[in-house]
Every structure is written in C-alpha cells, then in structure tokens.
Amino acid sequence: MAKVIAVTEAIKSLAEAESRLNLSRTEDEAFFTEWQTQLPSLSDSEQTALDTLRRRLLYHRADGELLEGAVTLLVASPLLELAGFYDPPFRMKAEAAIPYGIASLHEIAIDDGEEILRGRIDILILQNQLWVIVLECKKTTISTRSALPQALAYMMANPDLDKPRFGMLTNGDDVLFVKLRAQPTAEYGLSRAFSIYTVPSELRSAFQVLKHLGQGITTV
C-alpha cells in the first residue's frame, strides 16, 4: 500500500518539486507570453474597483502582517470576482477536492504508486475540468515564491495533460503567475513578480494578466 505523505512534508523546496514531479523550468520567453502580450484594457469601473481594493489593503496592512485568510478576503477573492471567475462558465471551489486519486473532501492526492502526496488548495477555479487558477495565499511576511513548490505539485495533479494550467500566487504584497505544461515534457514558466503593495500601478497590471488568462482559457 502506498504511503500517505503531506505535500508540505514531501516537497519543501523547488528542487524537490522538480525532482519528484519530473519538472523543469523553462527560460524560453515564448513559453509564457500570456502575462506580457495582448493584455486587455481596463474599464473605468475596473480601475475604480482596483483603487478601492488597494486602499483597503494598505489600511489593513498598516496594522501588521496579514494572515492567509485576510489575504484571501482583501486581495485574492476580490481580484477573482472582478475578473469574472465567479461567473459562468467558470466554477469555483474553495479548498476543493481534486478528481485525481482523492481520498476525502478538501484534499488533493498525487499517487506515484509508492507514495500519495496529499494537501489542500486555498481556491480552485475549474473550467471544463481545466484548472485555471491555483491560488496559494501565504503570510505577507513570506515570499510568494515559497508557495511555488506546493503550487506546482497541485497543478501537476491535473488529469487533462493536453491543456496548460495557470497559477496565481500571492501573499498580499506581491503577485506571481505560473504556467505549466505536462506534454510533451513537463515544464513551467514564471512571470515577473508584481509588487501590488509598493507600486500603485502594479495591481492594475496584475489584474490585466488575470483577466487575460480568463479570456484565453474560455476559448480553449
């Protein structure tokens, strides 16, 4: 019987994620163009909503670090709602079970025959069984990149090997986007980090990327 291990225990570093999942990072700029090209323009209402979102973030951030729940409420959920991910044709599940080797609700399980890696996902958006957004909210005192190994493990569990998967990682201060393809070889690419806390325009730029991903995936 396969041994059950928590994802956070089995994969603690990017090197471990790449080794165990047979993944590699690509530096090919043509691999992940979605965060740079053909970004949609923003309406006046969207810009107003983003300005309000950032004011709230700064207000609550002034009292100290933000835990995961606060980051979800102040940053992640409003961005997803504004980008249309809570409306058709998308389906939202919070801390959802993933239909691949799962054993119980709210868990993901990756089974390689010897070990089952199990963990939780903060927010998952599905579109035709394609994982659109895997969102890992970390404390604001922790780098967004620290969530990358775990996020890659979750994204690799997608049974639909033909379609790309996208992730958005945020700690409330920064936003980082990830693209992963499983075929013909498993590889991933990263966007630059968007500093939404320090630079006012960065939140708008990050939202444009998120909106672009949603528009692109609905046409796949």
Side-chain angles (χ1 to χ4, degrees), residues 33-74:
T33 60
E34 290 88 350
W35 73 272
Q36 300 181 77
T37 61
Q38 298 181 331
L39 298 180
S41 58
L42 302 182
S43 65
D44 291 340
S45 61
E46 287 174 330
Q47 295 185 48
T48 299
L50 291 171
D51 291 341
T52 300
L53 188 161
R54 189 168 182 275
R55 282 197 302 271
R56 289 173 178 165
L57 172 63
L58 296 181
Y59 172 74
H60 291 283
R61 186 69 173 87
D63 289 332
E65 68 180 39
L66 299 177
L67 300 182
E68 294 183 13
V71 173
T72 300
L73 290 173
L74 292 172

Side-chain angles (χ1 to χ4, degrees), residues 27-206:
E27 299 292 336
D28 184 0
E29 294 184 359
F31 176 80
F32 189 8
T33 60
E34 290 88 350
W35 73 272
Q36 300 181 77
T37 61
Q38 298 181 331
L39 298 180
S41 58
L42 302 182
S43 65
D44 291 340
S45 61
E46 287 174 330
Q47 295 185 48
T48 299
L50 291 171
D51 291 341
T52 300
L53 188 161
R54 189 168 182 275
R55 282 197 302 271
R56 289 173 178 165
L57 172 63
L58 296 181
Y59 172 74
H60 291 283
R61 186 69 173 87
D63 289 332
E65 68 180 39
L66 299 177
L67 300 182
E68 294 183 13
V71 173
T72 300
L73 290 173
L74 292 172
V75 179
S77 186
L79 284 178
L80 291 172
E81 180 181 12
L82 191 59
F85 283 100
Y86 292 164
D87 300 314
F90 298 102
R91 297 285 183 180
M92 186 280 293
K93 294 185 179 181
E95 293 190 345
I98 295 170
Y100 177 73
I102 56 175
S104 61
L105 190 62
H106 305 317
E107 295 181 342
I108 170 178
I110 305 173
D111 188 350
D112 63 4
E114 297 182 358
E115 294 179 340
I116 297 176
L117 306 184
R118 186 169 293 164
R120 291 171 177 265
I121 289 182
D122 293 325
I123 296 178
L124 177 66
I125 306 295
L126 300 94
Q127 158 65 11
N128 296 329
Q129 299 303 311
L130 171 64
W131 300 2
V132 178
I133 297 294
V134 177
L135 181 58
E136 291 298 317
C137 294
K138 295 297 181 180
K139 290 182 180 180
T140 52
T141 54
I142 301 176
S143 167
T144 52
R145 293 170 184 80
S146 67
L148 185 57
Q150 189 177 1
L152 290 173
Y154 294 153
M155 295 168 74
M156 278 295 291
N158 187 349
D160 193 340
L161 300 179
D162 296 329
K163 297 178 181 179
R165 317 100 195 253
F166 297 95
M168 185 182 80
L169 314 181
T170 182
N171 60 1
D173 284 354
D174 305 304
V175 172
L176 180 70
F177 293 96
V178 187
K179 179 180 181 178
L180 185 149
R181 279 190 179 276
Q183 293 182 345
T185 58
E187 57 184 353
Y188 69 95
L190 304 176
S191 72
R192 70 173 178 85
F194 294 86
S195 302
I196 64 175
Y197 174 74
T198 56
V199 183
S201 62
E202 290 284 87
L203 180 58
R204 295 182 180 182
S205 298

